[in-house]
Amino acid sequence: MIRVTLGADALAGTRFAISPIHTVGQLLFLFHRRPHLLAPALRRRLQAALRERDLGLVARLMRGSHGGYTPDFMTPRPRTFHADLHTELHHLATTPAERIGYDMGEFLNGSSVTGAPGVASKPDAVAILNVLGHGETHLAHTLADQLHHLWDAVLAPAWPQLRDRMEADIAQRAATITHDGYTTLINQLCPTLTWRDGGLDIDLWRDTAQPDPHHHHTTADTIVFTPSAFAPTSWFCVDAESAPHKQPVTIVYPLLPDSAPAATSAAGLAAIVGETRARILAALAAPRTTGQLAQDLHLTAGTISYHLQLLHQAGLVTRVRHARQVLYQQRPPTDEHMPPAGPPVIAAPGPLADQRD
């Protein structure tokens, strides 16, 4: 369990951001940990880039230690809403040596925040230490160069589409804050994240039958939320109190599923499925319960349930149980070159997917 106590002005400084360097980092982490969640074409492109461009160092570090920790300095916190890749790479390359040394100690020896063990592979440790032997600045510059090569080869062509999806997601999250407040937003991002008594509880073992073996407390002055197309569940970037050059708490969360296909007009959809079901589909751009739909569309709960059953049987909506609620949402189309855009994938048991930092 990680407990993050927030300062009095923390929510005033809380913000969203879109980060290219976080996106490429999450892609690499997922490629090594859960490759089956990536579209085959994207997986092949990534494999070719890692092999042909000799990107072994960034691959070893971004796959995470045995416990899933990746060196924090490799994904500097985004400082603006639309972070620029070159600016982020510059921040990585100019990371203070003290911070690089601290993060590499966490990676090799084990995370003081999550209690996760360090790197398990001796060949990986030897290869990393060989580069680190030339100095922290050399390591940072090498990683920045390799991330840039990987970006150009794999993500640059798809970035405009990915960025558009992230902007649309943030707009929906902002609407949640407007209507229901930050507490509702935070509690919806991930089952392992809870707002309680002026702070955040991060329970990395909540989805398992095992008790959380490690407890850590830290403080924060703000939170940065950043959406991810490659996160099956939320990841938490939290510095220990002892970390030099401490950075803001960052929560990387899965994108909401896409809205209805742009090529399908509202009138055309109504002609196919009927006006009432078309209205329900349009309202399901974000997850909704039967009761919420009935209130929004001024229909009875029985009518909504009837149409939802038909839409679900036709494969047009997804249905996911969350706590005591059943949430419905549009089932978006898929693109072989992009990550799946359906509901969040259920991660394998254990804290692995939740602990990048």
Side-chain angles (χ1 to χ4, degrees):
M1 172 76 73
I2 301 173
R3 172 66 179 174
V4 182
T5 300
L6 299 176
D9 297 327
L11 286 183
T14 293
R15 58 188 175 84
F16 286 84
I18 294 173
S19 169
I21 202 169
H22 271 268
T23 302
V24 71
Q26 294 143 19
L27 172 60
L28 269 174
F29 188 87
L30 193 62
F31 171 74
H32 288 292
R33 298 294 180 135
R34 291 179 173 83
H36 61 282
L37 297 182
L38 294 175
L42 180 59
R43 192 165 61 241
R44 290 191 297 269
R45 211 158 55 236
L46 185 52
Q47 287 172 327
L50 292 173
R51 181 179 62 251
E52 296 168 4
R53 301 191 180 215
D54 192 22
L55 305 179
L57 178 64
V58 74
R60 285 185 172 95
L61 288 171
M62 277 300 190
R63 76 169 60 126
S65 66
H66 181 65
Y69 172 85
T70 60
D72 195 49
F73 76 93
M74 294 178 63
T75 50
R77 307 299 194 266
R79 303 185 185 187
T80 61
F81 178 75
H82 271 303
D84 173 73
L85 175 68
H86 296 283
T87 302
E88 290 191 309
L89 291 174
H90 173 74
H91 291 154
L92 189 166
T94 57
T95 302
E98 183 185 13
R99 178 65 199 227
I100 296 173
Y102 175 87
D103 286 349
M104 293 307 298
E106 295 277 290
F107 177 81
L108 294 168
N109 302 318
S111 170
S112 60
V113 173
T114 66
V119 64
S121 167
K122 185 175 181 180
D124 280 355
V126 170
I128 292 165
L129 287 171
N130 283 340
V131 180
L132 188 58
H134 294 283
E136 289 86 356
T137 299
H138 173 76
L139 176 70
H141 279 270
T142 301
L143 289 170
D145 287 343
Q146 291 193 7
L147 282 169
H148 199 175
H149 285 308
L150 191 64
W151 173 270
D152 288 342
V154 179
L155 278 183
W159 182 243
Q161 183 180 353
L162 283 171
R163 186 181 58 225
D164 288 347
R165 286 177 57 190
M166 292 178 188
E167 289 178 349
D169 177 277
I170 290 172
Q172 292 189 50
R173 305 291 185 178
T176 297
I177 296 171
T178 301
H179 290 285
D180 303 310
Y182 271 106
T183 300
T184 299
L185 169 74
I186 291 170
N187 291 339
Q188 286 180 351
L189 288 179
C190 182
T192 58
L193 182 67
T194 306
W195 176 267
R196 178 180 63 85
D197 297 334
L200 299 176
D201 286 340
I202 303 171
D203 186 354
L204 301 179
W205 292 76
R206 177 172 175 170
D207 294 331
T208 75
Q210 306 175 58
D212 194 333
H214 188 81
H215 294 267
H216 183 86
H217 180 265
T218 189
T219 60
D221 294 327
T222 190
I223 309 171
V224 179
F225 295 105
T226 181
S228 172
F230 304 112
T233 185
S234 290
W235 293 336
F236 310 101
C237 307
V238 180
D239 282 350
E241 286 294 315
S242 59
H245 307 281
K246 193 177 176 184
Q247 300 192 74
V249 170
T250 299
I251 297 173
V252 180
Y253 65 86
L255 284 171
L256 289 168
D258 284 341
S259 56
T264 303
S265 68
L269 188 62
I272 296 171
V273 302
E275 183 177 350
T276 299
R277 287 191 281 275
R279 290 175 61 205
I280 293 173
L281 272 176
L284 289 175
R288 292 286 188 275
T289 65
T290 300
Q292 289 170 334
L293 287 170
Q295 182 176 359
D296 293 345
L297 300 178
H298 306 289
L299 296 170
T300 66
T303 298
I304 293 291
S305 295
Y306 169 75
H307 289 296
L308 283 175
Q309 181 178 3
L310 295 178
L311 290 170
H312 185 261
Q313 290 173 351
L316 295 175
V317 300
T318 61
R319 182 171 59 196
V320 177
R321 179 169 293 279
H322 181 72
R324 297 183 179 180
Q325 295 182 320
V326 176
L327 297 175
Y328 294 86
Q329 190 162 8
Q330 294 172 1
R331 184 186 298 278
T334 59
D335 184 327
E336 67 165 352
H337 298 292
M338 299 297 292
V345 179
I346 304 301
L352 176 66
D354 287 329
Q355 58 177 56
R356 288 213 38 229
D357 292 58

